[in-house]
Amino acid sequence: MSKPTSPSIPLLPITQVLLFSGLIVTLSMGVRHGFGLWLAPITSAHGWSVESFALALALQNLVWGLSGPFTGMWADRQGAPRVLMVGGLLYAAGLGWMALADTPFSFVLGSGLLIGLAQSCTTYAVVYGVIGRNIPPHRRSWAMGLTAAAGSFGQFLMVPVSNQFIHQLDWQGALWALSLCALLILPFATGLRQPKTSVLGIDPMKPVVIAPPTGPQSTKEALLEALGTPSFLWLSAGYFVCGFQVVFIGVHMPSFLKDQGLSPEVATTSLALIGLFNIFGTYGVGLLGQHWPKNRLLSGIYASRAVAISVFLALPITALSVEIFSAVIGLLWLSTVPPTNALVAQIFGVKHLSMLGGVIFLSHQLGSFLGVWLGGRLHDLSGSYEIVWWISIALGVVAALFNTAVRETPTGKQARP
């Protein structure tokens, strides 16, 4: 006798999910990737050290990571729109606070605490939960890649926009302008409002079997199971390296190029090129993830980053070499995001996807904290970024090896029939 199933679960249209997820990530990630442009004007205006600015952004990444599992859990239980709206308000408030801050401590409260919380509410862990529950498993990698590409487009779009705001409005006026832009997240969030049944962690692409006597898996059980799964730990370790590399480059590239005697326009072009080419990188990896083993894709990405940085440092630093490096590293920039999150969904299912995505992203943000802070610390101590560049190379090799140990076989209770 066939097992009873639940009534059909209403889903959001795929186009609607991708459109509003893309718009939200475009804004959230686009603003975030331009923060390096404020390093020089803010430290110069207040007489702060590079480390003071770097520490504030390092704490931003740490707060983002630490709050991620909780905002993910909130989104799993209550739905993404409420979380996204709170995130949009926090983002606007944090940017305004950055404009008003006149001490390093006050600056940390705005850029570190408020924006860190805002980013945990408005980025991948939350929107990927919606994607996981509304898009068929065989198309999730593609959909996640497309959404990550939107975040890359946000960098390509918002970095030049932020630079123009700084030139036209001064750095404080530019922050207020971005604060108004962040409020657009609120209306976009309404496009991801789901029927109550589809927020409860049911995978709409599979028949829903009546729960066994032991009951459904709780949040605590899902977390303990993930932490006890070696593949989850290897993925987390690799994601730590991803955070270290991309945030170090994203925040400190303008300062590094200034040390090399290059103009601020070269730095703006560099960050914009990274965003432009990562559109193709993340979308391409999302497509490849539907056909190739995702752990091998991740190993290839990390190994390629190590090679790209090594070649960049070995050659003379010129405007042309910066542009070439930015294009290459852009292809690899956020391309780790789709396969990493698709693997989490594949191994553990979608019921707790936002929460588990937040947990694994915590590792990413611990790496981000270390990358951005260590960059500023070692720069102030040694007068250059050379040591941190070589640390990035070594970590890329290590992450490539870690991901070879990841197994794609579903092992989570929620992923098993």
Side-chain angles (χ1 to χ4, degrees), residues 70-149:
F70 300 100
T71 54
M73 191 186 310
W74 183 20
D76 285 333
R77 293 180 175 179
Q78 300 295 326
R82 187 176 302 177
V83 180
L84 291 166
M85 289 179 182
V86 170
L89 293 172
L90 287 172
Y91 222 138
L95 289 164
W97 197 309
M98 284 176 64
L100 298 174
D102 56 1
T103 66
F105 177 73
S106 181
F107 187 74
V108 165
L109 291 179
S111 63
L113 179 61
L114 292 181
I115 295 182
L117 290 171
Q119 289 169 342
S120 76
C121 294
T122 57
T123 49
Y124 297 114
V126 174
V127 298
Y128 277 177
V130 181
I131 289 173
R133 285 184 281 268
N134 286 275
I135 293 182
H138 68 279
R139 301 188 73 187
R140 280 183 195 146
S141 177
W142 161 77
M144 290 178 177
L146 188 60
T147 305

Side-chain angles (χ1 to χ4, degrees), residues 186-397:
L186 276 69
F188 294 158
T190 60
L192 297 180
R193 193 177 303 280
Q194 297 173 264
K196 184 66 175 177
T197 52
S198 65
V199 180
L200 299 179
I202 305 169
D203 190 336
M205 298 305 133
K206 298 179 182 179
V208 181
V209 181
I210 291 179
T214 55
Q217 188 181 43
S218 68
T219 300
K220 180 180 178 180
E221 290 170 339
L223 177 60
L224 292 176
E225 182 176 41
L227 295 177
T229 304
S231 291
F232 187 83
L233 301 180
W234 291 123
L235 278 172
S236 299
Y239 229 22
F240 174 93
V241 174
C242 178
F244 184 100
Q245 292 173 328
V246 300
V247 178
F248 163 66
I249 295 173
V251 172
H252 290 286
M253 179 64 92
S255 179
F256 170 74
L257 297 179
K258 181 181 178 182
D259 290 348
Q260 304 302 312
L262 298 175
S263 68
E265 286 70 26
V266 175
T268 302
T269 301
S270 170
L271 295 178
L273 283 173
I274 289 173
L276 174 62
F277 279 85
N278 196 44
I279 296 172
F280 306 107
T282 49
Y283 183 71
V285 168
L287 286 176
L288 291 174
Q290 297 184 154
H291 308 288
W292 290 9
K294 300 174 188 65
N295 62 333
R296 294 183 183 178
L297 286 173
L298 288 168
S299 291
I301 291 167
Y302 288 119
S304 298
R305 283 185 186 177
V307 172
I309 296 172
S310 299
V311 173
F312 178 55
L313 297 180
L315 297 174
I317 306 296
T318 65
L320 178 60
S321 72
V322 170
E323 290 171 359
I324 294 173
F325 171 72
S326 300
V328 173
I329 206 70
L331 290 172
L332 309 167
W333 191 250
L334 294 179
S335 54
T336 59
V337 174
T340 299
N341 286 272
L343 277 170
V344 174
Q346 183 173 329
I347 296 171
F348 299 103
V350 300
K351 177 176 182 179
H352 301 286
L353 180 56
S354 290
M355 184 272 292
L356 292 178
V359 171
I360 204 168
F361 192 68
L362 170 58
S363 179
H364 183 284
Q365 293 309 94
L366 292 174
S368 300
F369 172 87
L370 187 60
V372 70
W373 171 76
L374 198 61
R377 178 65 174 169
L378 292 180
H379 179 273
D380 285 347
L381 290 176
S382 66
S384 80
Y385 289 107
E386 184 175 1
I387 297 174
V388 191
W389 279 116
W390 287 105
I391 291 174
S392 296
I393 294 170
L395 288 176
V397 174

Side-chain angles (χ1 to χ4, degrees), residues 38 42 46 95 98-101 166 169-177:
W38 271 268
I42 288 180
H46 294 298
L95 289 164
M98 284 176 64
L100 298 174
I166 292 173
L169 305 173
D170 76 45
W171 64 268
Q172 288 177 309
L175 288 169
W176 284 113

